[in-house]
Amino acid sequence: MQENKMGVMPVGKLIINMSWPAVVSMLIQAMYNIVDSFFVSRISETALAAITYIFPVQMVLISCAVGTGIGINSLISRRLGARRFEEADLVACHGYRMAFINWGVFFLIGFFLSHPLMRVMTDTEYIVTEGSKYLAIVLMGSLFIFVQITTEKTLQATGNMVAPMIISLSGALTNMILDPVLIFGMFGLPRLEVKGAAIATIIGQGVSLLVAACIIGKKENAVKIRLKGFKIERYIIKEIYAVGFPAMVMQAISSVMLLGYNSILSKSAAAVAVLGVYVKLQSFVFMPLFGLNQGVMPIVGYNYGARNRERMMEAYRKALITAIIIMIFGLALFQTMPGELLKMFSADAEMLKVGVPALRIISLCFVPAAFDVISSAMFQSTGHGVYSLFASLIRQLVGILPLAYILYNYAGLKASWFSVPLAEILGFTYTAIMFHNFYKREVRNL
């Protein structure tokens, strides 16, 4: 059998080879997030606030899909590195079963709870009405995103990063094209406004699913995928979610943090809008970092399974240096051009007054975040996702929310933005301690 490139290709070249498709895919996804909010902001500031309130719930959905996918990715890459190929095939098969089960849960939430969830978050009638329509469509149509992400993570685990990029790009580009058409009613179609943005999202995800099905069905892959004809094994589900559940909770924590922060800032519509815009803008910086993370995870997991400490640590070091460089560029952008970034979203004078210092302060977290993200890839790819989970808990729940509440109530709105970089320092400290212990206990003796 031909040797897998993750075990033989020079590490620097391998990181580039594995990461650039994911970085491109993530940047396009970030562009989609920006474009979606850009067009909705043209409806009204209230419409933009509506999708800001919805965004944390969407993140819970994405966290479930991505968390499960990360667990699948980690387990497949370790099994391939250990040359246990039949088990790798079985992990992939279980992943698709879990995608359908997870979709069923979110379908029910979308059907029964969309309106109550919006009513809990706000009393503004327009936001409740339009937001509940958007939420129901996105949740009930989530089968596409679950299967898409399962396919992407399975292929990435085998070292194939180009196919997942094509899958992701097809959906994101479709979404961006359809957004203005459906939101504003172009080419004779009805004007659907916020609802149109949701429909464009689902259609884009459906296109991604079709492309994924074509790739899986027509191309020979390093793992063999079956949708039926096998028995579900509890130990495989357990191993998938040993990494996948902490990753899922980590991403869901971001939703809880945003919901909490929105509540703290709720007296100022401009501040809520600024927070929503920041989340979209920072994705331009973090998405390349997450693309690098995706490229490094299977490399580390494969070489951990193969017990090759030198290649494993070389991949980690080179990825960390690259991540720091990316975040330095991001910090420079937010420090020098905050006003220009906010004006992309039709920011008025009040939003600029609140947002310019906010972007400069929050972006101070960028550089230490590089260490946390790449170390998280190391933990997840070796089956220690719980370390990453606690780092995220410390940053976002133990750190950001209490600090934001205290600073907002005792020092004002501007001071509250410092909660983000301060919490990142707490997370950095915890991650450094855990990485040291992990290396001494497990990696050094490989």
Side-chain angles (χ1 to χ4, degrees):
M1 180 175 292
Q2 185 178 358
E3 191 69 37
N4 193 300
K5 66 181 179 181
M6 291 188 289
V8 295
M9 184 181 288
V11 171
K13 180 180 178 181
L14 180 61
I15 290 175
I16 295 171
N17 183 276
M18 294 283 286
S19 298
W20 77 261
V23 170
V24 171
S25 178
M26 287 289 189
L27 284 172
I28 294 295
Q29 189 63 38
M31 178 69 75
Y32 151 67
N33 288 335
I34 295 290
V35 169
D36 201 44
S37 295
F38 173 82
F39 286 120
V40 170
S41 71
R42 292 306 189 264
I43 301 170
S44 67
E45 186 175 300
T46 310
L48 179 60
I51 65 170
T52 298
Y53 278 108
I54 292 164
F55 189 65
V57 183
Q58 281 184 279
M59 287 178 66
V60 173
L61 167 65
I62 298 298
S63 72
C64 184
V66 173
T68 303
I70 287 173
I72 294 164
N73 180 303
S74 173
L75 189 53
I76 290 176
S77 63
R78 281 181 278 141
R79 292 295 181 264
L80 290 175
R83 310 190 75 79
R84 293 156 65 179
F85 302 115
E86 290 185 4
E87 284 193 35
D89 295 345
L90 200 53
V91 173
C93 296
H94 279 67
Y96 284 94
R97 289 278 181 93
M98 296 310 302
F100 279 89
I101 293 170
N102 291 333
W103 165 66
V105 173
F106 281 94
F107 180 92
L108 294 174
I109 293 172
F111 189 82
F112 290 108
L113 298 178
S114 293
H115 192 275
L117 283 171
M118 291 304 304
R119 184 63 71 185
V120 167
M121 289 186 279
T122 179
D123 292 327
T124 305
E125 200 58 41
Y126 175 87
I127 295 177
V128 171
T129 301
E130 296 303 310
S132 60
K133 292 176 185 176
Y134 185 106
L135 197 56
I137 292 169
V138 169
L139 295 182
M140 292 169 66
S142 60
L143 174 63
F144 300 149
I145 193 67
F146 277 112
V147 177
Q148 172 199 332
I149 290 176
T150 298
T151 304
E152 290 178 7
K153 297 301 182 185
T154 299
L155 292 170
Q156 287 172 355
T158 68
N160 183 349
M161 303 298 289
V162 174
M165 176 188 71
I166 294 170
I167 293 168
S168 182
L169 287 182
S170 63
L173 292 174
T174 300
N175 202 335
M176 285 190 281
I177 292 168
L178 290 179
D179 257 341
V181 174
L182 297 178
I183 290 171
F184 302 116
M186 300 167 64
F187 307 115
L189 294 173
R191 180 185 175 97
L192 299 175
E193 298 194 349
V194 173
K195 183 180 177 181
I199 294 172
T201 296
I202 294 301
I203 293 174
Q205 291 169 357
V207 170
S208 288
L209 176 58
L210 290 174
V211 173
C214 290
I215 290 172
I216 289 292
K218 293 183 178 181
K219 190 178 186 328
E220 186 67 26
N221 298 293
V223 293
K224 298 177 178 63
I225 297 168
R226 292 174 291 149
L227 298 181
K228 58 183 180 179
F230 67 94
K231 178 184 176 183
I232 290 183
E233 300 287 353
R234 289 185 180 180
Y235 79 93
I236 291 180
I237 300 296
K238 183 178 179 180
E239 288 196 63
I240 288 173
Y241 282 103
V243 173
F245 184 73
M248 190 186 304
V249 175
M250 280 170 57
Q251 299 213 19
I253 286 169
S254 298
S255 304
V256 175
M257 184 275 291
L258 281 174
L259 285 169
Y261 216 147
N262 281 337
S263 177
I264 292 168
L265 302 175
S266 59
K267 293 180 182 178
S268 169
V272 171
V274 165
L275 182 61
V277 167
Y278 165 75
V279 171
K280 301 297 176 70
L281 286 172
Q282 59 92 29
S283 66
F284 264 116
V285 181
F286 277 88
M287 287 302 187
L289 187 60
F290 293 147
L292 178 64
N293 178 295
Q294 287 186 18
V296 170
M297 267 191 63
I299 300 172
V300 173
Y302 184 96
N303 287 285
Y304 180 75
R307 302 188 65 80
N308 191 330
R309 183 186 64 188
E310 288 74 18
R311 284 181 64 83
M312 177 182 165
M313 290 307 301
E314 184 182 356
Y316 172 80
R317 287 192 298 271
K318 290 183 175 178
L320 180 58
I321 292 169
T322 305
I324 290 172
I325 293 170
I326 291 171
M327 299 312 272
I328 288 173
F329 276 108
L331 176 62
L333 179 67
F334 274 66
Q335 293 296 317
T336 58
M337 301 178 56
E340 289 76 5
L341 294 173
L342 289 165
K343 287 176 184 177
M344 292 169 56
F345 298 89
S346 306
D348 58 18
E350 178 64 20
M351 196 168 165
L352 287 171
K353 180 182 177 182
V354 172
V356 168
L359 295 190
R360 285 179 172 152
I361 292 168
I362 297 175
S363 62
L364 296 174
C365 77
F366 285 180
V367 175
F371 173 71
D372 290 333
V373 171
I374 300 303
S375 297
S376 177
M378 171 71 86
F379 295 148
Q380 291 173 335
S381 59
T382 57
H384 296 80
V386 70
Y387 296 164
S388 299
L389 169 60
F390 280 110
S392 187
L393 281 169
I394 289 170
R395 287 198 308 273
Q396 299 191 69
L397 296 187
V398 177
I400 290 178
L401 286 183
L403 287 170
Y405 180 82
I406 293 168
L407 291 170
Y408 181 82
N409 285 283
Y410 292 96
L413 174 60
K414 184 176 179 179
S416 73
W417 305 119
F418 280 101
S419 62
V420 180
L422 289 173
E424 194 64 53
I425 293 172
L426 292 175
F428 179 94
T429 304
Y430 168 83
T431 300
I433 293 170
M434 296 310 297
F435 187 89
H436 173 75
N437 292 338
F438 165 70
Y439 182 86
K440 184 170 65 174
R441 187 176 61 253
E442 295 193 31
V443 178
R444 187 166 61 187
N445 297 321
L446 283 177

